[in-house]
Amino acid sequence: MKVFGILNFSVVIIYFSILLYIGYLFSKRQKTTEDYFKGQGRVPWWASGVSIFGTLLSAITFMAIPAKAYATDWSYFLYSLTVILLTPLITLIFIPFYSHLKITSVYEYLEKRFNLITRILGSIAFIIFQIGRIAVVLLLPSIAIATVTGIDIMLCILSIGLISIIYTLMGGIEAVIWTDVIQVVVLLGGALITILTITLNVNGGLTEIIQIASDDQKFNILNFNLSFSEPSFWVVLIGGIGANIISYGTDQTVVQRYMTSSKLKDSNKTFYLNVAAILPTQIIFFTLGTCLYVFYKLNPLNISKLDMDYDAILPWFIVNELPVGLSGLLIAGILSAAMSSLSSSINSSATTYVTDIHKKLRTELLDHDLLITARAASLIIGVSGTLLAAWMALSDIKSLWDEFIKILGLFTGGLGGLFLLGMTTKRPSGQAAVFGLILSGFTQFIIVNNTEIHSLLYAATGIISCFVFGYVSSFFLPKNKQNISGLTISSTEKTKK
């Protein structure tokens, strides 16, 4: 095992200094909550698109997906690609719908369509999910640092968490987006360099890698077994559609970036750019995992000192096989990706808390007071996610990718169903919506504890159960009597005409 070295540490420090300087520059613009949460429409559409891409993938893509491909095969490959199937739904329905409403928080819609309770419940579920996401994204680079430097993992978690919180409090959404752009370039470049390095160090190059991987069935994608307890084609397809409806249609982290563009066509371009990047990116990172598998199969002594923690396989290769300096840059990229994702989660969670909860409780506060509250909420949420990451480090978690998918499905599945219920139906009232959300929560609990359904399906079961329970209960509860003109897809289309 190589020593990380002064040069590598210097590269990491310089890289972080650049990111912090960006945060400092944009901190001067943070005068109002509109600046802090939406950037006053100053962010170009292409930067928002890259930011969505970086926020949803980031360190989870760079480490967990190659680790999954290394340990298993390409069964999960189609999971993220399902968003391509959802392009008409997102660009023709969701984005125009939110632009029409002119909202800061996506959960404002729930109050307009149903009632205040659904808005608050939706906000709380989102914040809980983001705290879980912060923990997973924070734990990944901490594993990397602990593996390649020998530093205690708890010290890594607390240090990165603290730096991330301080950075987030400085910049607002503009700093978050522009640092996302930088980390996407570094991560994709790093992945390609790593693949090239492995190819050059395997006799026979790419042809030999493909042959060995094929012989060991590492390219398996289409498993048509009718089992819902393994990542079969049907599980990945249904699970991916459910998760991506939530992520791209109802997730405040993403919708907030749609709203940073002042024009509808630019918001759609933001989404299109993200979709265009998904296929090549998935190919790159799954290929990276397969290349790592072949390299270490041919060079087993190079991995003999690494405990079998698959999530650490990529940083191990970076430090031990890549040139000094370059390895420092890529480790910095992993850390910055995590920090950028943390800042996104913290900022969007603070937006949700201030807009959907605090302003409803303290209506007399001035915007300056709300900006202070936003930063305080950012601090609390960041600390909570950091402490959860520390707890997860002490737990026996085999795959952080699986854990992330589980958190996504459990805490946001019902929300996806709630939004679809409000957008596509007129009958359900606020009472029916709350009833559907609560019953969906019970359903998810039963599924997790009493069935062997794969965690990829949790998002889909949450959406379906909330929608069905909410709609059916509307026939037994008082019918909706409030004016919902412009709050359903059909009424919005009539308004446009």
Side-chain angles (χ1 to χ4, degrees):
M1 176 178 175
K2 288 184 180 178
V3 177
F4 197 51
I6 295 176
L7 179 58
N8 281 332
F9 275 116
S10 299
V11 171
V12 171
I13 292 172
I14 293 172
Y15 190 89
F16 283 160
S17 298
I18 293 173
L19 296 181
L20 288 172
Y21 182 67
I22 292 174
Y24 168 73
L25 287 178
F26 284 106
S27 67
K28 298 178 180 180
R29 295 186 178 184
Q30 310 309 306
K31 306 297 184 183
T32 67
T33 52
E34 190 74 9
D35 292 318
Y36 195 74
F37 296 144
K38 297 175 69 175
Q40 292 283 14
R42 292 185 292 258
V43 181
W45 65 267
W46 63 267
S48 295
V50 173
S51 180
I52 291 175
F53 176 73
T55 296
L56 292 179
L57 300 178
S58 65
I60 292 175
T61 300
F62 196 64
M63 290 180 60
I65 290 182
K68 200 71 178 176
Y70 173 91
T72 58
D73 51 29
W74 286 38
S75 298
Y76 289 77
F77 180 73
L78 297 177
Y79 182 77
S80 295
L81 296 185
T82 52
V83 70
I84 298 174
L85 302 177
L86 298 174
T87 297
L89 179 67
I90 303 300
T91 58
L92 299 179
I93 296 179
F94 278 104
I95 294 179
F97 196 76
Y98 293 137
S99 297
H100 166 75
L101 294 175
K102 299 185 183 303
I103 55 179
T104 299
S105 164
V106 68
Y107 304 107
E108 290 180 50
Y109 168 72
L110 294 181
E111 181 181 7
K112 294 175 181 291
R113 173 61 180 85
F114 295 119
N115 53 30
L116 178 60
I117 295 176
T118 56
R119 179 177 182 176
I120 292 177
L121 288 176
S123 302
I124 292 173
F126 172 77
I127 292 172
I128 291 173
F129 163 63
Q130 289 301 325
I131 291 174
R133 185 176 191 272
I134 288 170
V136 172
V137 174
L138 176 57
L139 185 54
L140 276 169
S142 297
I143 292 173
I145 295 179
T147 300
V148 303
T149 65
I151 299 175
D152 182 75
I153 191 170
M154 286 300 173
L155 180 60
C156 294
I157 290 172
L158 295 177
S159 300
I160 298 173
L162 178 62
I163 294 172
S164 302
I165 293 169
I166 294 174
Y167 161 76
T168 305
L169 293 178
M170 291 174 60
I173 189 63
E174 286 183 279
V176 170
I177 288 176
W178 285 111
T179 51
D180 279 348
V181 172
I182 293 175
Q183 64 97 346
V184 165
V185 173
V186 172
L187 288 186
L188 289 180
L192 290 171
I193 290 172
T194 305
I195 292 173
L196 178 61
T197 301
I198 295 174
T199 302
L200 294 176
N201 283 277
V202 171
N203 291 331
L206 185 60
T207 302
E208 182 67 11
I209 292 174
I210 294 174
Q211 183 61 54
I212 294 174
S214 298
D215 292 341
D216 292 350
Q217 298 182 333
K218 301 299 288 186
F219 291 119
N220 177 49
I221 296 178
L222 302 177
N223 173 6
F224 289 105
N225 291 342
L226 293 177
S227 170
F228 289 98
S229 60
E230 59 181 286
S232 65
F233 170 80
W234 311 109
V235 168
V236 172
L237 178 64
I238 296 171
I241 290 175
N244 282 313
I245 286 176
I246 295 169
S247 295
Y248 290 93
T250 66
D251 190 317
Q252 171 63 20
T253 309
V254 175
V255 175
Q256 189 174 0
R257 281 156 176 73
Y258 297 151
M259 297 301 101
T260 59
S261 299
S262 57
K263 299 179 181 179
L264 175 59
K265 65 177 182 179
D266 286 343
S267 295
N268 278 332
K269 287 179 182 178
T270 294
F271 176 78
Y272 288 136
L273 178 60
N274 180 77
V275 170
I278 286 178
L279 177 58
T281 302
Q282 290 296 300
I283 293 174
I284 289 171
F285 285 105
F286 275 90
T287 299
L288 176 55
T290 302
C291 287
L292 287 169
Y293 169 81
V294 172
F295 178 83
Y296 284 118
K297 180 176 182 178
L298 297 176
N299 301 276
L301 294 179
N302 293 33
I303 200 176
S304 59
K305 294 182 180 180
L306 175 65
D307 293 332
M308 293 310 293
D309 183 351
Y310 295 131
D311 287 312
I313 192 68
L314 179 56
W316 178 270
F317 179 89
I318 288 173
V319 171
N320 289 285
E321 306 297 339
L322 294 182
V324 176
L326 177 59
S327 58
L329 179 61
L330 295 191
I331 291 297
I334 293 176
L335 299 179
S336 70
M339 293 173 67
S340 186
S341 294
L342 295 183
S343 62
S344 296
S345 293
I346 292 171
N347 184 275
S348 59
S349 298
T351 303
T352 299
Y353 171 75
V354 171
T355 305
D356 300 317
I357 299 175
H358 196 81
K359 285 176 69 173
K360 292 298 178 179
L361 301 176
R362 301 286 301 277
T363 57
E364 77 283 357
L365 292 178
L366 299 176
D367 191 78
H368 174 72
D369 298 321
L370 291 176
L371 184 58
I372 295 175
T373 301
R375 289 197 163 103
S378 298
L379 176 63
I380 293 172
I381 291 167
V383 169
S384 299
T386 302
L387 293 177
L388 181 58
W391 173 81
M392 290 175 68
L394 299 174
S395 303
D396 183 22
I397 299 175
K398 296 181 180 179
S399 171
L400 290 175
W401 171 254
D402 290 340
E403 201 65 22
F404 174 72
I405 295 301
K406 183 177 180 180
I407 292 171
L408 172 65
L410 290 180
F411 288 103
T412 62
L415 288 181
L418 202 59
F419 276 91
L420 290 178
L421 182 70
M423 291 178 176
T424 61
T425 67
K426 297 180 180 180
R427 182 182 181 87
S429 63
Q431 290 175 292
V434 172
F435 194 73
L437 190 61
I438 292 174
L439 283 183
S440 175
F442 281 120
T443 301
Q444 294 289 78
F445 179 81
I446 293 171
I447 288 174
V448 171
N449 291 282
N450 296 279
T451 73
E452 296 183 355
I453 288 179
H454 198 279
S455 59
L456 286 178
L457 291 174
Y458 291 166
T461 56
I463 291 175
I464 294 171
S465 59
C466 182
F467 185 94
V468 171
F469 284 129
Y471 190 74
V472 171
S473 65
S474 69
F475 290 93
F476 302 95
L477 295 171
K479 185 177 180 180
N480 181 48
K481 296 181 179 180
Q482 69 185 70
N483 181 13
I484 58 173
S485 176
L487 298 177
T488 63
I489 294 171
S490 59
S491 62
T492 301
E493 292 299 321
K494 291 179 181 178
T495 303
K496 291 179 181 179
K497 294 178 180 179

